Amino acid sequence: MSRQAKVWTALVTVYVIWGSTYLGIAVAGETIPPLFAASTRFITAGALMALVVRLRGGSLRLSRRALVSCVVIGILLPGANAVLFFAERNVPTGLASLIIASVPLWVVVLRLIGRERLPWQVLAGVGVGFAGVAVLAQPSGGAKTWGIALCVLSAVMWSLGSVFSARLTMPADPFAATAYEMLAGGLVMLPISVFTVHHFSPSAGSIIGWIYLVTFGSIVGYTAYVWLLANAPLGTVSTYAYVNPVVAILLGLLFRGEHVTWRLLIGAAIVVAAVAIVVRQDPPTATHPEEGVR
């Protein structure tokens, strides 16, 4: 296989897997209590990621400061994912993915609060993007107001985790950082989640969805992402930020019977275009461990 073919294979892998995690969350959360599903998912995925680190010849040793940082990020990122488990019980997966796609816009807002100077094109993209979010935030198609609010909360928590992870002391190995983040978040949620489990009887579909999130969503997708960062132009890799919601919408149509309204299409076009502008004008400059927490 040529290098270009490998790049496109990895890119499509990231597109499909990370775009499909919204469907996986919806299916897993059908018969598994959301908080329990999220906590056990991240504990299991974190343990598997730690195994990946060892198999790659890496080290799991870290300083006390890095450990504290991983706990903070772990509470924010797996916490944001747990919020999404609750949200998707009352919000279609396509709509949820579009609101979460606004994370780069929220990151810019947080950086502005931190008094960073950013290109005017980025600021314009943020303004347009939030107009699209406002269009999407109108309850329709079975979505409830509080479910949409939870999606927005999840996006804000994710953006906070993204900003903090770039500024706090983190393990040098992104796989080790991701492992600790997932373990920390999962372990913090687990004691609370146990009290939400009553008459536990998950369906086969929910179990498959949970396994998919653990293996493909967290391990395979992130491995492909890290490989891409080392082997493909950053602008190309960054396209996942606005392709993932398109994949999520299509999967929602195919497997969940979700309806596409004109409002959704207009909001989707605005948000995806705005995120594309922001990501193209101000792409990330390093591997982000938080991308493994999906």
Side-chain angles (χ1 to χ4, degrees), residues 111 122 234-236 238 276-286 288:
R111 291 171 62 188
V122 171
L234 192 56
T236 300
S238 299
I277 292 171
V278 171
V279 171
R280 286 288 185 175
Q281 290 291 329
D282 190 42
T285 55
H288 290 292

Side-chain angles (χ1 to χ4, degrees), residues 18 21-22 25 80-81 83-85 87-88 91 93-107 133 136 147-159 241 244-245 271 275 291 293-294:
W18 282 354
T21 55
Y22 299 94
I25 288 173
N81 198 278
V83 170
L84 195 58
F85 266 89
E88 286 199 24
V91 176
T93 58
L95 175 56
S97 70
L98 287 167
I99 295 176
I100 299 302
S102 69
V103 165
L105 311 181
W106 289 106
V107 168
V133 173
L136 294 170
I148 293 174
L150 285 178
C151 287
V152 174
L153 174 61
S154 178
V156 173
M157 290 176 66
W158 194 281
S159 60
N244 287 163
V271 170
V275 170
E291 295 297 358
V293 189
R294 285 186 171 269

Side-chain angles (χ1 to χ4, degrees), residues 215-287:
T215 54
F216 286 87
S218 295
I219 308 299
V220 178
Y222 188 59
T223 301
Y225 168 73
V226 172
W227 184 89
L228 277 170
L229 285 174
N231 293 274
L234 192 56
T236 300
V237 181
S238 299
T239 57
Y240 79 87
Y242 44 93
V243 174
N244 287 163
V246 176
V247 173
I249 291 172
L250 291 175
L251 292 177
L253 282 170
L254 292 173
F255 296 101
R256 303 282 292 180
E258 296 177 358
H259 301 291
V260 176
T261 64
W262 281 109
R263 176 178 290 167
L264 180 68
L265 289 175
I266 293 171
I270 296 173
V271 170
V272 170
V275 170
I277 292 171
V278 171
V279 171
R280 286 288 185 175
Q281 290 291 329
D282 190 42
T285 55
T287 304

Side-chain angles (χ1 to χ4, degrees), residues 26-127:
V27 174
E30 285 178 346
T31 58
I32 302 177
L35 198 58
F36 186 73
S39 61
T40 55
R41 171 203 172 181
F42 285 117
I43 291 172
T44 306
L48 290 175
M49 189 69 80
L51 178 61
V52 170
V53 173
R54 298 303 298 165
L55 292 175
R56 294 173 68 245
S59 172
L60 290 170
R61 299 185 64 179
L62 75 169
S63 66
R64 182 177 299 177
R65 178 175 293 183
L67 178 59
V68 171
S69 297
C70 286
V71 171
V72 172
I73 304 303
I75 292 172
L76 284 170
L77 297 181
N81 198 278
V83 170
L84 195 58
F85 266 89
F86 283 99
E88 286 199 24
R89 286 192 161 186
N90 292 278
V91 176
T93 58
L95 175 56
S97 70
L98 287 167
I99 295 176
I100 299 302
S102 69
V103 165
L105 311 181
W106 289 106
V107 168
V108 170
V109 171
L110 293 174
R111 291 171 62 188
L112 288 173
I113 293 174
R115 299 188 176 182
E116 285 190 46
R117 296 176 64 88
L118 298 169
W120 70 266
Q121 296 95 330
V122 171
L123 301 182
V126 170

